[in-house]
Amino acid sequence: MNTRELGHSGIFVSELGLGCMSIGTEEHRAETILKTALDEGITYFDTADLYDFGVNEKLVGKTLKNVRDKVVIATKAGNRWTDSKDSWTWDASKAYIKEAAKQSLKRLGTEYIDLYQLHGGTLDDPIDETIEAFEELKAEGFIRAYGISSIRPTVIDQYVKKSSISSVMVQYSMLDRRPENQALPILSENGVSVVARGPIAFGLLSAKWREKLAKASKKGLNWYDESELSAVLTKLEKNFAPDRTLNGLAFRYVLHHSAAVVAGASSIEQLKENARAIRETTLTEEEYKWIQDTVKTADYDAHRL
């Protein structure tokens, strides 16, 4: 599988990363999915301290321990579980970020984190202090690079201007093209890599889209109604079938502007299909433009910026 550099970090990741939130907590099943990902050429594994109260990090670290120097492990911080563990609060303070990093290192069983990400962010955060935490962690050798996971162009702009982030993870797909309007130009101009999450758009960009249509249309694609989604997916399928699958097109489309796509996989079959699709699918410049002309975009809601 091809690899690409995250920003100017010297860290190269596979074009397809595994979103580890979907591997579950049963050890054998999780281990099987992670090892299959390795077999398929995936070297980029994305987790977070929030997932399963840290169990996810433990499973990732344990399974990848013997190949640690051959993989890129990314994790995230900023969401803090309450004592009752029935909800979480947001904490982007320097003290919390630095302590969270040390706890993630313990759970992962590693001496360093390749990519450490702020798991969100708002303009009300102590941004300078947050950046200082990441810079100190990098100088101390606990992390190799850092980034943020955010959909807010205003927040992204602040980190691009004030920090040395290598990447921004953003929700981005053929059906959710909002980053193209604001975030992508900012990042491209400053040499910061995009990592796309949600490339399959709640399962709509797959062969099973008809089964998922009614539920997915209510999950954050509110600029479409169900009939519009059905029409555009039918057009995409008709134009590119039978040679290419919707998930293959979905990956290649976002890779036009991204260093990598991060997709979850709850089964071996799904993981292998994603890996096959990304290896075998191509997209010409003309086809990319056809998709842009066919699939409408939207702007971010003002209250979320």
Side-chain angles (χ1 to χ4, degrees):
M1 189 174 294
N2 293 331
T3 61
R4 301 185 184 188
E5 186 177 9
L6 289 177
H8 304 296
S9 66
I11 298 172
F12 286 80
V13 297
S14 52
E15 288 183 328
L16 176 64
L18 179 63
C20 297
M21 183 172 67
S22 61
I23 65 175
T25 56
E26 199 285 306
E27 186 170 345
H28 176 71
R29 176 178 173 276
E31 182 181 311
T32 302
I33 291 173
L34 290 164
K35 288 184 175 179
T36 301
L38 289 170
D39 292 341
E40 293 293 329
I42 294 171
T43 60
Y44 180 23
F45 297 85
D46 183 84
T47 180
D49 58 2
L50 187 71
Y51 302 160
D52 298 313
F53 308 104
V55 173
N56 197 266
E57 286 183 323
K58 289 180 181 179
L59 291 170
V60 169
K62 182 178 180 181
T63 304
L64 300 180
K65 184 177 181 179
N66 293 333
V67 291
R68 181 66 188 92
D69 60 336
K70 296 180 176 65
V71 298
V72 172
I73 295 178
T75 192
K76 313 179 196 76
N79 291 299
R80 188 173 193 165
W81 282 109
T82 58
D83 291 340
S84 60
K85 292 191 174 181
D86 58 358
S87 63
W88 59 84
T89 58
W90 178 247
D91 190 343
S93 67
K94 178 180 176 180
Y96 180 68
I97 295 296
K98 294 200 73 172
E99 179 58 29
K102 292 174 184 176
Q103 296 306 315
S104 284
L105 286 164
K106 288 180 184 178
R107 287 189 293 267
L108 288 163
T110 185
E111 295 179 354
Y112 63 93
I113 295 164
D114 296 289
L115 178 66
Y116 200 42
Q117 301 159 103
L118 186 67
H119 204 171
T122 74
L123 291 179
D124 294 328
D125 293 340
I127 292 177
D128 292 338
E129 179 183 318
T130 306
I131 292 168
E132 195 172 85
F134 282 101
E135 289 289 351
E136 287 184 8
L137 287 167
K138 189 175 177 181
E140 292 160 356
F142 293 120
I143 65 175
R144 295 176 64 198
Y146 67 96
I148 63 172
S149 176
S150 176
I151 65 168
R152 295 180 171 94
T154 50
V155 173
I156 292 169
D157 186 56
Q158 286 296 300
Y159 277 89
V160 169
K161 287 177 178 176
K162 294 183 173 186
S163 76
S164 59
I165 56 171
S166 296
S167 64
V168 174
M169 176 178 278
V170 63
Q171 183 172 306
Y172 181 33
S173 73
M174 281 198 295
L175 296 178
D176 185 355
R177 295 175 49 212
R178 291 175 297 173
E180 294 175 15
N181 297 337
Q182 290 170 282
L184 297 194
I186 295 168
L187 299 175
S188 178
E189 289 166 13
N190 290 276
V192 178
S193 289
V194 176
V195 174
R197 64 177 176 85
I200 304 299
F202 311 109
L204 283 173
L205 293 168
S206 73
K208 297 181 178 179
W209 67 265
R210 290 171 180 82
E211 301 169 23
K212 300 177 180 292
L213 188 61
K215 188 180 292 186
S217 63
K218 298 177 178 65
K219 277 189 172 182
L221 295 171
N222 57 10
W223 51 94
Y224 295 102
D225 61 32
E226 193 172 322
S227 62
E228 286 177 318
L229 272 174
S230 179
V232 75
L233 289 165
T234 300
K235 278 185 184 178
L236 287 166
E237 203 170 52
K238 184 177 180 180
N239 192 67
F240 292 101
D243 304 347
R244 285 165 285 185
T245 59
L246 280 178
N247 65 326
L249 292 170
F251 293 141
R252 278 296 146 208
Y253 181 86
V254 294
L255 281 168
H256 195 86
H257 288 296
S258 308
V261 293
V262 170
S266 55
S267 69
I268 299 302
E269 294 73 27
Q270 183 183 15
L271 177 57
K272 288 184 175 181
E273 168 54 25
N274 285 346
R276 184 202 63 75
I278 209 163
R279 282 195 302 263
E280 297 180 5
T281 306
T282 58
L283 194 64
T284 67
E285 190 67 31
E286 292 74 18
E287 289 170 331
Y288 173 81
K289 289 177 179 175
W290 181 89
I291 292 171
Q292 286 195 312
D293 290 338
T294 302
V295 183
K296 72 179 182 181
T297 186
D299 293 318
Y300 289 105
D301 295 334
H303 73 277
R304 300 193 68 181
L305 302 184

